[in-house]
Amino acid sequence: MKLLIKNAIILTVNQHNEVLENADIALEDGRIQAIGKVPENFQADKVIDATDQIALPGLVNAHTHIPMSLFRNYADDLPFWPWLMEKIKPAEDHLNAEHVYWGAKLGIIELIQSGVSCFSDMYFYMDEVATVVKESGIRACLSGVLLEVDDLGPTFMKAAIDFHDSWHGKADGRIKAFFGPHSMYLCGPEYLRETTEEALKRKTGIHIHLSESRQEVADSLEKYGKSPVQHLADLGMFECRTAAAHCVHVSTEDIELLEKHKVSVLNNPTSNMKLANGFAPIHAMLKKGINVALGTDGSASNNNVNLFEEMHLAALVNKAVTEDAESVPAQQVLRMATINGAKALGLENEIGSLEVGKRADLILLDATKPHYFPRHNPVSSIVYSAQAADVSTVLVNGKVLMENYELKTMDVAETMREAERMAFDLVNRATL
Amino acid sequence: MKLLIKNAIILTVNQHNEVLENADIALEDGRIQAIGKVPENFQADKVIDATDQIALPGLVNAHTHIPMSLFRNYADDLPFWPWLMEKIKPAEDHLNAEHVYWGAKLGIIELIQSGVSCFSDMYFYMDEVATVVKESGIRACLSGVLLEVDDLGPTFMKAAIDFHDSWHGKADGRIKAFFGPHSMYLCGPEYLRETTEEALKRKTGIHIHLSESRQEVADSLEKYGKSPVQHLADLGMFECRTAAAHCVHVSTEDIELLEKHKVSVLNNPTSNMKLANGFAPIHAMLKKGINVALGTDGSASNNNVNLFEEMHLAALVNKAVTEDAESVPAQQVLRMATINGAKALGLENEIGSLEVGKRADLILLDATKPHYFPRHNPVSSIVYSAQAADVSTVLVNGKVLMENYELKTMDVAETMREAERMAFDLVNRATL
C-alpha cells in the first residue's frame, strides 16, 4: 500500500524541529519513504489532500490505565485515600475481563480521536487491552501490573511473564510488553529485584509509579532511610530501561540519580494537580537532560485521555511555578508529547518524529478553524490554541485508523453503550 | 417567537445547583418561561430536540481583550516586558478601527463556538467591538480603555464617556458599558478618581487590571507606600461596582479589602501562568466569600478564548497549590464560569443561571461523544472531560446564534481571511 499526503504544514519534530510548508509525505509498507518533496514517479494507491492541515507525529501518551475510562467522572474532588479506598478500589475488586475489554475499547477510541498513535499502559487483565490494541490498529507498550497484595505477588508475576511472552512483538509489531511493578510501596524489595531480573532477561523495560505523593516519600524515608528513587537505584532496577510515572516529589539528588541512570520521567500534570499531589519539577529535569514524556494517567484522575490538555498544562504550569515565561516553550512541549514519549518506550528509532525510514504514525489537524487564525506560528497553535477535537486523521503503521473524523476500525456507538453498561455493573456490585 | 428545547440534561446553576434530567425549557420573547415541566398548551414556533445534550447557562468570559485575536501565537514563551514592549505594543501602535473590527469578529466567532454568551471586554476602538456585538447577537459588557500615556489621558476619558453614552443599553439591551481604567500603574490617582466619578454619575461599573504581577505590587509599595488594592480602596474606586482582573499577588489584608468592598475578582489562570505571573489564591478568596468569575484574558497571552480550558485549570490549579483535592470542586467552577461572571457585571438578575424569568442565554453540549461516557456525573463531565468543541448550540436573548455547530449570524470564512490580512498588515507595519 502506497499512500501520499499532499500540501500539509509538517511539524517534523526531527532533531532540528524542522517545519515544512506545502509539503508532501510518501508512505509505503507502513514506513515514511519521502518527506517534503516526493519523487514524481511515486505511484500512490491513495492520496490524502492535507491542504491547510497540520501534520505531526502521532502523539505518545506515555502513562495511562486505559480501562479506567469506566471510572470517568465517578469519583471527583476527593483526597487520594478516600478516592482510592472508598471509590476506586471497591469497584476494581469486582473487575473481570469483560469490564476491562470494554473499558479499553472506550479509552482507545478516545485516544485515536485525540491524536494518540501510541500509548503506554499498566493495568489488570492486560490480555484484554492487548486484544483491543490488535483489533484497533493503535500501537502500545503494555505492562501487566505487578502487586504484592493479599499474597497475590506470585500470581501477578506469572501473569506478567505470560503476558510478555505471549504478546511482545505481536499485532504486526505494534505491541511491546514491559513489566509493570506498581510502585515501591505496593511491591517489596525482593519482588522488585525479581521483576527487574525478569525484565532484563527479556531485554525489555519497566513501567512504574515513582514519588507521586509526599506520603510515598515520607514512608520510604521512614522504612528504608532513603527516597523512593534512591531505593529503586540501590535495588538495581535502573539497569533496566525504566519509565517512571510522576516523580512529583523528587530532591536534587533524586534528579541527579534519574539522569545518571537514564530513567525517563512520565509527567502527568492533570492527575498530579487533580489528586492534589502538586507540580513535578519538569523544568529542572529537562535542564538536567532527563528525557521527560507526557501522559494523562487514567480517566479516574483526569477525566479523559486528552494529551492536548497535558501539552497545554506542561507549558503553563512550569512557567508559573518557576515564574519564568521562557521555561518549557511550546517546541519543547511538542517534543515531550512525541519523540520523548517514543524514547521512554525504547521506540525512538521507529516513531516519535516524521523522518524517512520511520514508521508512518502520524496525525493531521484541521487548521481551518477560527482558533488557528491568524497563522503566526503552527507550533504555538498546537500547544496553546488547539483542541483534541481538531484531529481529523490518524495513521498508525501506514494504516488509516481515522480519516476526516471517521473511525475506521472501531464501532463507537456499540462501545459507548457496552462500556457504560460495564461501568454501571461495576458500581452496582461495589455498592451492594 | 416561542421556542421549546426538549429532553435535555439541564444544569440550572440555580442556588441549589439543581440538575434536571429529561427536562424541557420553554422560551418566549427572549426569556425563560418554564423549565423542567413545560405547560402542555405551550405552542412553540420552533422545537430543538436536545436528547442526550447537556443544557447550561451560556458561559460568561469575564475578562478579555477580544480584538487581540490578531496576536494569537504571535509572541509566545517570552517574559512580560519583552512580550509587551518588543512585540505587542509596537504592533498595537499601528492599530486602526478596521483592524479592531476584524479582530473582534474573529474573537466573537470563537466565543460563540466555545459556548460563551456574554463577555466583558476592555480595548481600543470600542465602537468597533460594540458594532460586532450588535451584528453577532452576543451579549457584552464593554469598557473603553483609559490610559494616561503620551498625554492621551483626556482623549481616552472623552472616548470612554462617549462610548458609554452611545452604547449603554443598546443592541436590544445586550450591551452594557463599564469604564475601563487600565490599571493603577498606567493611570494616576487623580485620573482614577475622575474615572470613578464618571462611572458613579452613570450608575455603572469599572473594569480594571489589579495586582497582576509582582512588579506592580513592588512599584505600588515604593510609590504609594501601599498595595495596589489598598491604593484603589483609598481612592474610593470601590464605591463603584468594580470587576478586578487577575489579583494574583494579593495579601490577606488585600483579600479582606476586596471582600469588604464587594469587588468581583476575574480569574485568568492561563494568562497568569503563561506570562509567569503565578497562581491567584482563588481558594482563599472563595472561602472568604468573594465573587470570583473566570476569564481568558486576550488571545495574545492565552492563545484562545476557550473558557472550558479556564474551568479545567481553575479546578486543577487550586487543588495543586493548596494540596487539597477538595478545594474548588467542579460545581463551584461551573458557578465561576456562569452566575459569578453575571454578578461581576451586575447582570445576575438577567443571566448566569437557567431560571424562570431570566434571559434565554443558554448553550447545549453534545454529550453523545465517547469522552462523556460512562455518564456518572454531568457536572464533572463539563469541568473535567468536555472540550469547547462539544458546544453544539448557543442562544442569546432567545435567539439562536449557533445551531448544531452552524453559526447563524456570522461569516466564518470571510472573517478568518480578513482578520489574518489585518494581523499580517499590523505585524508588517510594526517590523518595518
PDB file of all heavy atoms in Angstrom, chain A residues 90-115:
ATOM      1  N   PRO A  90     -13.005  -0.407  45.727  1.00  0.00           N
ATOM      2  CA  PRO A  90     -14.193  -1.274  45.864  1.00  0.00           C
ATOM      3  C   PRO A  90     -14.795  -1.662  44.506  1.00  0.00           C
ATOM      4  O   PRO A  90     -15.339  -2.760  44.354  1.00  0.00           O
ATOM      5  CB  PRO A  90     -15.175  -0.395  46.659  1.00  0.00           C
ATOM      6  CG  PRO A  90     -14.311   0.558  47.416  1.00  0.00           C
ATOM      7  CD  PRO A  90     -13.134   0.822  46.538  1.00  0.00           C
ATOM      8  N   ALA A  91     -14.706  -0.771  43.545  1.00  0.00           N
ATOM      9  CA  ALA A  91     -15.200  -1.118  42.209  1.00  0.00           C
ATOM     10  C   ALA A  91     -14.228  -2.057  41.506  1.00  0.00           C
ATOM     11  O   ALA A  91     -14.631  -3.073  40.925  1.00  0.00           O
ATOM     12  CB  ALA A  91     -15.431   0.151  41.391  1.00  0.00           C
ATOM     13  N   GLU A  92     -12.937  -1.740  41.599  1.00  0.00           N
ATOM     14  CA  GLU A  92     -11.939  -2.590  40.930  1.00  0.00           C
ATOM     15  C   GLU A  92     -11.936  -4.017  41.481  1.00  0.00           C
ATOM     16  O   GLU A  92     -11.584  -4.961  40.780  1.00  0.00           O
ATOM     17  CB  GLU A  92     -10.537  -1.975  41.071  1.00  0.00           C
ATOM     18  CG  GLU A  92     -10.293  -0.829  40.093  1.00  0.00           C
ATOM     19  CD  GLU A  92      -8.859  -0.326  40.141  1.00  0.00           C
ATOM     20  OE1 GLU A  92      -8.188  -0.533  41.168  1.00  0.00           O
ATOM     21  OE2 GLU A  92      -8.426   0.299  39.155  1.00  0.00           O
ATOM     22  N   ASP A  93     -12.325  -4.177  42.744  1.00  0.00           N
ATOM     23  CA  ASP A  93     -12.361  -5.513  43.342  1.00  0.00           C
ATOM     24  C   ASP A  93     -13.309  -6.449  42.589  1.00  0.00           C
ATOM     25  O   ASP A  93     -13.219  -7.668  42.717  1.00  0.00           O
ATOM     26  CB  ASP A  93     -12.794  -5.427  44.816  1.00  0.00           C
ATOM     27  CG  ASP A  93     -11.657  -4.949  45.713  1.00  0.00           C
ATOM     28  OD1 ASP A  93     -10.495  -4.937  45.241  1.00  0.00           O
ATOM     29  OD2 ASP A  93     -11.925  -4.576  46.873  1.00  0.00           O
ATOM     30  N   HIS A  94     -14.237  -5.866  41.829  1.00  0.00           N
ATOM     31  CA  HIS A  94     -15.200  -6.686  41.086  1.00  0.00           C
ATOM     32  C   HIS A  94     -14.883  -6.781  39.604  1.00  0.00           C
ATOM     33  O   HIS A  94     -15.664  -7.345  38.840  1.00  0.00           O
ATOM     34  CB  HIS A  94     -16.608  -6.110  41.274  1.00  0.00           C
ATOM     35  CG  HIS A  94     -17.077  -6.150  42.692  1.00  0.00           C
ATOM     36  ND1 HIS A  94     -17.631  -7.280  43.253  1.00  0.00           N
ATOM     37  CD2 HIS A  94     -17.039  -5.218  43.677  1.00  0.00           C
ATOM     38  CE1 HIS A  94     -17.935  -7.033  44.521  1.00  0.00           C
ATOM     39  NE2 HIS A  94     -17.587  -5.790  44.804  1.00  0.00           N
ATOM     40  N   LEU A  95     -13.740  -6.241  39.208  1.00  0.00           N
ATOM     41  CA  LEU A  95     -13.363  -6.241  37.786  1.00  0.00           C
ATOM     42  C   LEU A  95     -13.288  -7.647  37.220  1.00  0.00           C
ATOM     43  O   LEU A  95     -12.744  -8.553  37.854  1.00  0.00           O
ATOM     44  CB  LEU A  95     -11.953  -5.661  37.627  1.00  0.00           C
ATOM     45  CG  LEU A  95     -11.744  -4.183  37.346  1.00  0.00           C
ATOM     46  CD1 LEU A  95     -10.250  -3.943  37.215  1.00  0.00           C
ATOM     47  CD2 LEU A  95     -12.476  -3.722  36.103  1.00  0.00           C
ATOM     48  N   ASN A  96     -13.773  -7.821  36.002  1.00  0.00           N
ATOM     49  CA  ASN A  96     -13.470  -9.043  35.264  1.00  0.00           C
ATOM     50  C   ASN A  96     -12.995  -8.690  33.856  1.00  0.00           C
ATOM     51  O   ASN A  96     -12.927  -7.504  33.499  1.00  0.00           O
ATOM     52  CB  ASN A  96     -14.675 -10.001  35.263  1.00  0.00           C
ATOM     53  CG  ASN A  96     -15.873  -9.405  34.516  1.00  0.00           C
ATOM     54  OD1 ASN A  96     -15.719  -8.680  33.535  1.00  0.00           O
ATOM     55  ND2 ASN A  96     -17.067  -9.708  35.002  1.00  0.00           N
ATOM     56  N   ALA A  97     -12.669  -9.701  33.092  1.00  0.00           N
ATOM     57  CA  ALA A  97     -12.068  -9.460  31.776  1.00  0.00           C
ATOM     58  C   ALA A  97     -12.996  -8.662  30.866  1.00  0.00           C
ATOM     59  O   ALA A  97     -12.542  -7.810  30.100  1.00  0.00           O
ATOM     60  CB  ALA A  97     -11.706 -10.801  31.129  1.00  0.00           C
ATOM     61  N   GLU A  98     -14.292  -8.921  30.970  1.00  0.00           N
ATOM     62  CA  GLU A  98     -15.223  -8.221  30.087  1.00  0.00           C
ATOM     63  C   GLU A  98     -15.261  -6.718  30.380  1.00  0.00           C
ATOM     64  O   GLU A  98     -15.305  -5.891  29.465  1.00  0.00           O
ATOM     65  CB  GLU A  98     -16.638  -8.827  30.245  1.00  0.00           C
ATOM     66  CG  GLU A  98     -17.538  -8.518  29.064  1.00  0.00           C
ATOM     67  CD  GLU A  98     -18.981  -8.996  29.268  1.00  0.00           C
ATOM     68  OE1 GLU A  98     -19.286  -9.540  30.356  1.00  0.00           O
ATOM     69  OE2 GLU A  98     -19.789  -8.809  28.348  1.00  0.00           O
ATOM     70  N   HIS A  99     -15.260  -6.372  31.670  1.00  0.00           N
ATOM     71  CA  HIS A  99     -15.191  -4.952  32.025  1.00  0.00           C
ATOM     72  C   HIS A  99     -13.975  -4.295  31.371  1.00  0.00           C
ATOM     73  O   HIS A  99     -14.073  -3.224  30.768  1.00  0.00           O
ATOM     74  CB  HIS A  99     -15.050  -4.764  33.549  1.00  0.00           C
ATOM     75  CG  HIS A  99     -16.209  -5.253  34.365  1.00  0.00           C
ATOM     76  ND1 HIS A  99     -16.051  -6.169  35.375  1.00  0.00           N
ATOM     77  CD2 HIS A  99     -17.527  -4.962  34.325  1.00  0.00           C
ATOM     78  CE1 HIS A  99     -17.232  -6.412  35.932  1.00  0.00           C
ATOM     79  NE2 HIS A  99     -18.148  -5.690  35.311  1.00  0.00           N
ATOM     80  N   VAL A 100     -12.823  -4.975  31.527  1.00  0.00           N
ATOM     81  CA  VAL A 100     -11.575  -4.385  31.035  1.00  0.00           C
ATOM     82  C   VAL A 100     -11.597  -4.269  29.513  1.00  0.00           C
ATOM     83  O   VAL A 100     -11.163  -3.249  28.948  1.00  0.00           O
ATOM     84  CB  VAL A 100     -10.361  -5.213  31.511  1.00  0.00           C
ATOM     85  CG1 VAL A 100      -9.079  -4.759  30.829  1.00  0.00           C
ATOM     86  CG2 VAL A 100     -10.220  -5.084  33.037  1.00  0.00           C
ATOM     87  N   TYR A 101     -12.154  -5.264  28.849  1.00  0.00           N
ATOM     88  CA  TYR A 101     -12.226  -5.220  27.383  1.00  0.00           C
ATOM     89  C   TYR A 101     -12.968  -3.974  26.926  1.00  0.00           C
ATOM     90  O   TYR A 101     -12.479  -3.209  26.096  1.00  0.00           O
ATOM     91  CB  TYR A 101     -12.907  -6.484  26.850  1.00  0.00           C
ATOM     92  CG  TYR A 101     -13.107  -6.466  25.353  1.00  0.00           C
ATOM     93  CD1 TYR A 101     -12.059  -6.820  24.503  1.00  0.00           C
ATOM     94  CD2 TYR A 101     -14.332  -6.098  24.787  1.00  0.00           C
ATOM     95  CE1 TYR A 101     -12.227  -6.796  23.115  1.00  0.00           C
ATOM     96  CE2 TYR A 101     -14.508  -6.072  23.416  1.00  0.00           C
ATOM     97  CZ  TYR A 101     -13.457  -6.428  22.581  1.00  0.00           C
ATOM     98  OH  TYR A 101     -13.621  -6.403  21.225  1.00  0.00           O
ATOM     99  N   TRP A 102     -14.146  -3.739  27.470  1.00  0.00           N
ATOM    100  CA  TRP A 102     -14.952  -2.602  27.009  1.00  0.00           C
ATOM    101  C   TRP A 102     -14.400  -1.272  27.495  1.00  0.00           C
ATOM    102  O   TRP A 102     -14.478  -0.258  26.783  1.00  0.00           O
ATOM    103  CB  TRP A 102     -16.421  -2.776  27.402  1.00  0.00           C
ATOM    104  CG  TRP A 102     -17.074  -3.844  26.565  1.00  0.00           C
ATOM    105  CD1 TRP A 102     -17.407  -5.102  26.965  1.00  0.00           C
ATOM    106  CD2 TRP A 102     -17.408  -3.754  25.172  1.00  0.00           C
ATOM    107  NE1 TRP A 102     -17.950  -5.810  25.909  1.00  0.00           N
ATOM    108  CE2 TRP A 102     -17.957  -5.007  24.799  1.00  0.00           C
ATOM    109  CE3 TRP A 102     -17.291  -2.761  24.201  1.00  0.00           C
ATOM    110  CZ2 TRP A 102     -18.399  -5.277  23.493  1.00  0.00           C
ATOM    111  CZ3 TRP A 102     -17.732  -3.027  22.911  1.00  0.00           C
ATOM    112  CH2 TRP A 102     -18.279  -4.270  22.564  1.00  0.00           C
ATOM    113  N   GLY A 103     -13.824  -1.269  28.683  1.00  0.00           N
ATOM    114  CA  GLY A 103     -13.183  -0.029  29.159  1.00  0.00           C
ATOM    115  C   GLY A 103     -12.007   0.350  28.260  1.00  0.00           C
ATOM    116  O   GLY A 103     -11.823   1.522  27.910  1.00  0.00           O
ATOM    117  N   ALA A 104     -11.223  -0.668  27.874  1.00  0.00           N
ATOM    118  CA  ALA A 104     -10.082  -0.411  26.988  1.00  0.00           C
ATOM    119  C   ALA A 104     -10.570   0.104  25.637  1.00  0.00           C
ATOM    120  O   ALA A 104      -9.999   1.027  25.055  1.00  0.00           O
ATOM    121  CB  ALA A 104      -9.257  -1.682  26.808  1.00  0.00           C
ATOM    122  N   LYS A 105     -11.643  -0.483  25.169  1.00  0.00           N
ATOM    123  CA  LYS A 105     -12.167  -0.091  23.860  1.00  0.00           C
ATOM    124  C   LYS A 105     -12.611   1.375  23.878  1.00  0.00           C
ATOM    125  O   LYS A 105     -12.304   2.140  22.963  1.00  0.00           O
ATOM    126  CB  LYS A 105     -13.339  -1.018  23.513  1.00  0.00           C
ATOM    127  CG  LYS A 105     -13.493  -1.228  22.042  1.00  0.00           C
ATOM    128  CD  LYS A 105     -14.071  -2.613  21.737  1.00  0.00           C
ATOM    129  CE  LYS A 105     -14.274  -2.757  20.260  1.00  0.00           C
ATOM    130  NZ  LYS A 105     -14.492  -4.143  19.844  1.00  0.00           N
ATOM    131  N   LEU A 106     -13.331   1.752  24.927  1.00  0.00           N
ATOM    132  CA  LEU A 106     -13.770   3.153  25.043  1.00  0.00           C
ATOM    133  C   LEU A 106     -12.556   4.085  25.104  1.00  0.00           C
ATOM    134  O   LEU A 106     -12.490   5.114  24.416  1.00  0.00           O
ATOM    135  CB  LEU A 106     -14.629   3.329  26.308  1.00  0.00           C
ATOM    136  CG  LEU A 106     -15.159   4.751  26.563  1.00  0.00           C
ATOM    137  CD1 LEU A 106     -16.108   5.204  25.456  1.00  0.00           C
ATOM    138  CD2 LEU A 106     -15.875   4.829  27.921  1.00  0.00           C
ATOM    139  N   GLY A 107     -11.582   3.710  25.915  1.00  0.00           N
ATOM    140  CA  GLY A 107     -10.393   4.555  26.069  1.00  0.00           C
ATOM    141  C   GLY A 107      -9.590   4.666  24.788  1.00  0.00           C
ATOM    142  O   GLY A 107      -9.070   5.733  24.453  1.00  0.00           O
ATOM    143  N   ILE A 108      -9.491   3.570  24.048  1.00  0.00           N
ATOM    144  CA  ILE A 108      -8.672   3.585  22.820  1.00  0.00           C
ATOM    145  C   ILE A 108      -9.371   4.391  21.722  1.00  0.00           C
ATOM    146  O   ILE A 108      -8.727   5.090  20.936  1.00  0.00           O
ATOM    147  CB  ILE A 108      -8.295   2.144  22.403  1.00  0.00           C
ATOM    148  CG1 ILE A 108      -7.259   1.605  23.413  1.00  0.00           C
ATOM    149  CG2 ILE A 108      -7.754   2.095  20.980  1.00  0.00           C
ATOM    150  CD1 ILE A 108      -6.902   0.149  23.267  1.00  0.00           C
ATOM    151  N   ILE A 109     -10.688   4.358  21.683  1.00  0.00           N
ATOM    152  CA  ILE A 109     -11.421   5.244  20.759  1.00  0.00           C
ATOM    153  C   ILE A 109     -11.069   6.699  21.064  1.00  0.00           C
ATOM    154  O   ILE A 109     -10.768   7.499  20.169  1.00  0.00           O
ATOM    155  CB  ILE A 109     -12.945   5.018  20.879  1.00  0.00           C
ATOM    156  CG1 ILE A 109     -13.328   3.706  20.176  1.00  0.00           C
ATOM    157  CG2 ILE A 109     -13.733   6.196  20.302  1.00  0.00           C
ATOM    158  CD1 ILE A 109     -14.797   3.338  20.307  1.00  0.00           C
ATOM    159  N   GLU A 110     -11.101   7.038  22.342  1.00  0.00           N
ATOM    160  CA  GLU A 110     -10.783   8.406  22.744  1.00  0.00           C
ATOM    161  C   GLU A 110      -9.334   8.769  22.389  1.00  0.00           C
ATOM    162  O   GLU A 110      -9.067   9.899  21.964  1.00  0.00           O
ATOM    163  CB  GLU A 110     -10.959   8.461  24.264  1.00  0.00           C
ATOM    164  CG  GLU A 110     -11.627   9.695  24.788  1.00  0.00           C
ATOM    165  CD  GLU A 110     -11.499   9.723  26.306  1.00  0.00           C
ATOM    166  OE1 GLU A 110     -11.672   8.666  26.962  1.00  0.00           O
ATOM    167  OE2 GLU A 110     -11.204  10.808  26.829  1.00  0.00           O
ATOM    168  N   LEU A 111      -8.410   7.829  22.582  1.00  0.00           N
ATOM    169  CA  LEU A 111      -7.012   8.086  22.225  1.00  0.00           C
ATOM    170  C   LEU A 111      -6.894   8.420  20.744  1.00  0.00           C
ATOM    171  O   LEU A 111      -6.269   9.416  20.364  1.00  0.00           O
ATOM    172  CB  LEU A 111      -6.138   6.860  22.538  1.00  0.00           C
ATOM    173  CG  LEU A 111      -5.841   6.547  24.001  1.00  0.00           C
ATOM    174  CD1 LEU A 111      -5.087   5.221  24.118  1.00  0.00           C
ATOM    175  CD2 LEU A 111      -5.024   7.660  24.660  1.00  0.00           C
ATOM    176  N   ILE A 112      -7.493   7.587  19.915  1.00  0.00           N
ATOM    177  CA  ILE A 112      -7.375   7.816  18.468  1.00  0.00           C
ATOM    178  C   ILE A 112      -8.021   9.146  18.098  1.00  0.00           C
ATOM    179  O   ILE A 112      -7.439   9.954  17.366  1.00  0.00           O
ATOM    180  CB  ILE A 112      -8.007   6.646  17.678  1.00  0.00           C
ATOM    181  CG1 ILE A 112      -7.247   5.340  17.959  1.00  0.00           C
ATOM    182  CG2 ILE A 112      -8.017   6.946  16.176  1.00  0.00           C
ATOM    183  CD1 ILE A 112      -7.911   4.083  17.412  1.00  0.00           C
ATOM    184  N   GLN A 113      -9.213   9.406  18.636  1.00  0.00           N
ATOM    185  CA  GLN A 113      -9.892  10.658  18.308  1.00  0.00           C
ATOM    186  C   GLN A 113      -9.100  11.885  18.747  1.00  0.00           C
ATOM    187  O   GLN A 113      -9.294  12.972  18.209  1.00  0.00           O
ATOM    188  CB  GLN A 113     -11.280  10.693  18.971  1.00  0.00           C
ATOM    189  CG  GLN A 113     -12.276   9.754  18.323  1.00  0.00           C
ATOM    190  CD  GLN A 113     -13.668   9.878  18.943  1.00  0.00           C
ATOM    191  OE1 GLN A 113     -13.792  10.142  20.130  1.00  0.00           O
ATOM    192  NE2 GLN A 113     -14.690   9.681  18.138  1.00  0.00           N
ATOM    193  N   SER A 114      -8.235  11.731  19.738  1.00  0.00           N
ATOM    194  CA  SER A 114      -7.477  12.892  20.203  1.00  0.00           C
ATOM    195  C   SER A 114      -6.019  12.850  19.745  1.00  0.00           C
ATOM    196  O   SER A 114      -5.178  13.555  20.290  1.00  0.00           O
ATOM    197  CB  SER A 114      -7.576  13.020  21.725  1.00  0.00           C
ATOM    198  OG  SER A 114      -7.135  11.845  22.351  1.00  0.00           O
ATOM    199  N   GLY A 115      -5.722  12.024  18.728  1.00  0.00           N
ATOM    200  CA  GLY A 115      -4.428  12.104  18.071  1.00  0.00           C
ATOM    201  C   GLY A 115      -3.307  11.294  18.675  1.00  0.00           C
ATOM    202  O   GLY A 115      -2.139  11.498  18.340  1.00  0.00           O
TER     203      GLY A 115
END
